[in-house]
Amino acid sequence: MKDESKKLTRLDPKIKNFQEGLLKKYREANQKAQKGQIVFVGSSLMEIFPIEKMQEEHDLKLGKIIYNRGIRATTTKYLLENMNTQILDLKPSKVFINIGSNDIGFHVPEEEFLGNYDQILKRIKRELPDTEVFVMAFYPVNDKAVTAIDDRSNRALEEASSKIKQLTLKNGYQYINVNQGLTDKNGLLRDDLTFDGTHMYPKGYEIVLKNMMKYLK
């Protein structure tokens, strides 16, 4: 696990190739996608959220399509550089953002991390003034597994979430915490919901989706 983390922080060529391939796939899909729908965007924690499949299986009756534009191993800087493909080209009515945990794990300076986040929100406001934006609190992690990888502890994530909340409110958007039911009695991400201490199985996302429904409708 530790060796894998080091590869990610150096942006292993295989990861970079995957990112670029997925970005290309999204660009092509955007040409056929409907405008004014719902977009999920972020890093791997959003990419592996099987929301498109869940929407089809659960018949959520939202009256809108959900497009997932998450890309693994990305940071706020990456999203800022690729906002056209991941958000703006789709002209969504709602955007749900979960980005930044990699900034913490990759030791991006806090000033840079928060500055990027602020620019992301400001650009959405400038170019999509009618779009509703929901910034998500970071999911909890299971510290027992994660501390062996990087500094993505629950304490670090909670501190960052608090500062992101301030940025979100300053920009006039909604900050949401949809983590109820994800933790055990010690406040750690439940063992049965995660395969590595950070990333969740689909049943973890079922809980998140249930908590998100009032914002999706």
Side-chain angles (χ1 to χ4, degrees):
M1 297 288 281
K2 184 177 290 186
D3 289 341
E4 180 180 357
S5 175
K6 288 179 180 178
K7 288 180 182 178
L8 291 178
T9 59
R10 291 196 300 266
L11 283 182
D12 183 280
K14 291 182 180 179
I15 294 293
K16 291 181 68 176
N17 289 339
F18 178 88
Q19 291 172 340
E20 291 309 305
L22 192 53
L23 200 61
K24 180 181 178 182
K25 176 183 174 182
Y26 288 159
R27 289 194 196 100
E28 294 171 351
N30 288 351
Q31 295 177 19
K32 299 179 181 179
Q34 296 183 35
K35 303 298 189 287
Q37 306 303 303
I38 299 172
V39 170
F40 279 27
V41 67
S43 57
S44 59
L45 296 175
M46 194 63 97
E47 182 200 332
I48 67 172
F49 193 148
I51 187 60
E52 295 171 344
K53 181 179 179 182
M54 287 179 175
Q55 182 176 23
E56 181 179 347
E57 291 180 346
H58 298 334
D59 189 20
L60 301 180
K61 295 184 176 15
L62 300 177
K64 291 186 181 297
I65 301 169
I66 301 175
Y67 296 114
N68 191 331
R69 294 295 181 263
I71 299 178
R72 70 188 61 178
T74 56
T75 61
T76 52
K77 179 182 178 182
Y78 187 94
L79 177 56
L80 188 60
E81 293 172 344
N82 294 284
M83 283 185 66
N84 286 339
T85 299
Q86 292 185 263
I87 301 175
L88 302 177
D89 288 349
L90 289 162
K91 294 181 171 53
S93 59
K94 294 183 179 183
V95 177
F96 290 82
I97 303 175
N98 188 338
I99 191 75
S101 60
N102 286 328
D103 292 69
I104 297 169
F106 298 169
H107 305 287
V108 174
E110 183 178 273
E111 182 178 357
E112 177 183 343
F113 160 39
L114 295 176
N116 290 339
Y117 221 125
D118 195 35
Q119 289 185 62
I120 289 167
L121 298 177
K122 280 181 166 55
R123 188 173 176 195
I124 296 174
K125 182 174 289 292
R126 183 172 66 250
E127 300 192 31
L128 300 173
D130 297 324
T131 296
E132 291 185 78
V133 176
F134 300 84
V135 174
M136 300 169 64
F138 292 128
Y139 300 134
V141 296
N142 191 310
D143 292 15
K144 293 180 293 184
V146 175
T147 50
I149 306 174
D150 52 38
D151 293 333
R152 244 169 296 197
S153 66
N154 279 318
R155 180 175 180 177
L157 292 170
E158 288 168 4
E159 289 177 354
S161 285
S162 177
K163 294 173 182 177
I164 291 168
K165 179 179 180 179
Q166 294 176 32
L167 284 178
T168 303
L169 298 178
K170 183 184 76 171
N171 282 282
Y173 291 133
Q174 296 189 58
Y175 174 86
I176 61 174
N177 187 320
V178 290
N179 300 339
Q180 184 177 359
L182 296 180
T183 56
D184 60 21
K185 63 181 181 181
N186 297 313
L188 303 179
L189 180 60
R190 287 165 38 191
D191 287 333
D192 63 310
L193 299 181
T194 180
F195 54 88
D196 64 359
T198 300
H199 300 88
M200 291 188 288
Y201 294 117
K203 64 180 181 180
Y205 285 107
E206 291 281 0
I207 295 172
V208 173
L209 177 58
K210 181 179 179 180
N211 294 336
M212 291 180 76
M213 283 304 298
K214 61 183 178 181
Y215 305 109
L216 287 167
K217 293 182 176 179

